[in-house]
Short mmCIF file of all heavy atoms in Angstrom, two decimals:
data_model
loop_
_atom_site.label_atom_id
_atom_site.label_comp_id
_atom_site.label_asym_id
_atom_site.label_seq_id
_atom_site.Cartn_x
_atom_site.Cartn_y
_atom_site.Cartn_z
N ASN A 110 -4.20 6.03 18.46
CA ASN A 110 -3.68 5.55 17.18
C ASN A 110 -4.75 5.55 16.10
O ASN A 110 -4.47 5.77 14.92
CB ASN A 110 -3.05 4.17 17.33
CG ASN A 110 -1.67 4.23 17.94
OD1 ASN A 110 -1.26 5.28 18.46
ND2 ASN A 110 -0.93 3.14 17.89
N PHE A 111 -6.01 5.27 16.49
CA PHE A 111 -7.11 5.41 15.54
C PHE A 111 -7.22 6.85 15.06
O PHE A 111 -7.41 7.13 13.86
CB PHE A 111 -8.45 5.01 16.18
CG PHE A 111 -8.54 3.58 16.64
CD1 PHE A 111 -9.15 3.26 17.86
CD2 PHE A 111 -8.03 2.54 15.88
CE1 PHE A 111 -9.24 1.94 18.29
CE2 PHE A 111 -8.12 1.23 16.30
CZ PHE A 111 -8.72 0.93 17.51
N ILE A 112 -7.09 7.80 16.00
CA ILE A 112 -7.26 9.22 15.67
C ILE A 112 -6.07 9.75 14.87
O ILE A 112 -6.23 10.52 13.92
CB ILE A 112 -7.47 10.05 16.96
CG1 ILE A 112 -8.71 9.58 17.70
CG2 ILE A 112 -7.59 11.54 16.62
CD1 ILE A 112 -9.98 9.59 16.85
N VAL A 113 -4.86 9.34 15.25
CA VAL A 113 -3.67 9.74 14.48
C VAL A 113 -3.83 9.31 13.03
O VAL A 113 -3.55 10.07 12.10
CB VAL A 113 -2.39 9.12 15.09
CG1 VAL A 113 -1.24 9.18 14.10
CG2 VAL A 113 -2.01 9.86 16.36
N SER A 114 -4.28 8.06 12.83
CA SER A 114 -4.47 7.55 11.48
C SER A 114 -5.51 8.36 10.72
O SER A 114 -5.30 8.73 9.56
CB SER A 114 -4.89 6.08 11.54
OG SER A 114 -5.23 5.60 10.26
N LYS A 115 -6.63 8.65 11.38
CA LYS A 115 -7.70 9.42 10.70
C LYS A 115 -7.18 10.78 10.26
O LYS A 115 -7.39 11.19 9.10
CB LYS A 115 -8.89 9.59 11.65
CG LYS A 115 -9.99 10.46 11.08
CD LYS A 115 -11.12 10.66 12.08
CE LYS A 115 -12.23 11.52 11.48
NZ LYS A 115 -13.37 11.68 12.42
N ILE A 116 -6.51 11.49 11.17
CA ILE A 116 -6.05 12.84 10.84
C ILE A 116 -4.95 12.79 9.77
O ILE A 116 -4.93 13.61 8.84
CB ILE A 116 -5.55 13.56 12.11
CG1 ILE A 116 -6.69 13.67 13.13
CG2 ILE A 116 -5.03 14.95 11.77
CD1 ILE A 116 -6.24 14.19 14.50
N TYR A 117 -4.05 11.84 9.89
CA TYR A 117 -2.98 11.68 8.90
C TYR A 117 -3.57 11.43 7.51
O TYR A 117 -3.15 12.04 6.52
CB TYR A 117 -2.09 10.52 9.31
CG TYR A 117 -0.98 10.20 8.33
CD1 TYR A 117 0.29 10.73 8.49
CD2 TYR A 117 -1.20 9.35 7.25
CE1 TYR A 117 1.32 10.43 7.60
CE2 TYR A 117 -0.19 9.04 6.36
CZ TYR A 117 1.07 9.58 6.53
OH TYR A 117 2.07 9.29 5.64
N ASN A 118 -4.54 10.53 7.44
CA ASN A 118 -5.15 10.21 6.14
C ASN A 118 -5.89 11.40 5.57
O ASN A 118 -5.83 11.65 4.35
CB ASN A 118 -6.08 9.00 6.29
CG ASN A 118 -5.32 7.73 6.62
OD1 ASN A 118 -4.14 7.61 6.33
ND2 ASN A 118 -5.99 6.77 7.22
N ASN A 119 -6.59 12.17 6.42
CA ASN A 119 -7.27 13.37 5.93
C ASN A 119 -6.26 14.41 5.45
O ASN A 119 -6.50 15.12 4.47
CB ASN A 119 -8.15 13.96 7.04
CG ASN A 119 -9.39 13.13 7.30
OD1 ASN A 119 -9.67 12.17 6.57
ND2 ASN A 119 -10.14 13.47 8.33
N LYS A 120 -5.14 14.49 6.14
CA LYS A 120 -4.09 15.42 5.72
C LYS A 120 -3.60 15.07 4.31
O LYS A 120 -3.40 15.97 3.48
CB LYS A 120 -2.93 15.34 6.73
CG LYS A 120 -1.65 16.03 6.28
CD LYS A 120 -0.53 15.80 7.30
CE LYS A 120 0.84 16.15 6.72
NZ LYS A 120 0.98 17.57 6.36
N TRP A 121 -3.46 13.75 4.03
CA TRP A 121 -2.95 13.38 2.72
C TRP A 121 -4.00 13.50 1.61
O TRP A 121 -3.66 13.67 0.45
CB TRP A 121 -2.31 12.00 2.76
CG TRP A 121 -0.93 12.10 3.31
CD1 TRP A 121 -0.49 11.73 4.54
CD2 TRP A 121 0.19 12.72 2.66
NE1 TRP A 121 0.84 12.05 4.69
CE2 TRP A 121 1.29 12.66 3.56
CE3 TRP A 121 0.38 13.32 1.41
CZ2 TRP A 121 2.53 13.18 3.25
CZ3 TRP A 121 1.63 13.82 1.10
CH2 TRP A 121 2.69 13.75 2.01
N ILE A 122 -5.26 13.44 1.98
CA ILE A 122 -6.31 13.77 1.01
C ILE A 122 -6.15 15.23 0.58
O ILE A 122 -6.21 15.57 -0.61
CB ILE A 122 -7.71 13.53 1.61
CG1 ILE A 122 -7.95 12.04 1.83
CG2 ILE A 122 -8.80 14.10 0.68
CD1 ILE A 122 -9.21 11.74 2.60
N ILE A 123 -5.94 16.09 1.55
CA ILE A 123 -5.74 17.52 1.28
C ILE A 123 -4.49 17.74 0.43
O ILE A 123 -4.50 18.49 -0.55
CB ILE A 123 -5.64 18.29 2.62
CG1 ILE A 123 -7.01 18.30 3.31
CG2 ILE A 123 -5.15 19.72 2.41
CD1 ILE A 123 -6.96 18.81 4.74
N GLU A 124 -3.39 17.08 0.81
CA GLU A 124 -2.15 17.25 0.06
C GLU A 124 -2.29 16.78 -1.39
O GLU A 124 -1.77 17.41 -2.32
CB GLU A 124 -1.02 16.47 0.75
CG GLU A 124 -0.56 17.07 2.08
CD GLU A 124 0.21 18.37 1.88
OE1 GLU A 124 0.69 18.62 0.76
OE2 GLU A 124 0.33 19.13 2.86
N ARG A 125 -2.99 15.67 -1.58
CA ARG A 125 -3.16 15.16 -2.95
C ARG A 125 -4.03 16.10 -3.79
O ARG A 125 -3.81 16.23 -5.00
CB ARG A 125 -3.77 13.75 -2.92
CG ARG A 125 -2.77 12.71 -2.43
CD ARG A 125 -3.32 11.31 -2.48
NE ARG A 125 -3.54 10.83 -3.83
CZ ARG A 125 -3.52 9.56 -4.19
NH1 ARG A 125 -3.27 8.63 -3.29
NH2 ARG A 125 -3.75 9.19 -5.42
#
Side-chain angles (χ1 to χ4, degrees):
N110 281 12
F111 298 139
I112 300 305
V113 163
S114 173
K115 176 183 181 177
I116 300 172
Y117 177 95
N118 293 337
N119 287 353
K120 168 185 165 63
W121 279 106
I122 292 171
I123 291 170
E124 289 289 342
R125 288 184 68 153

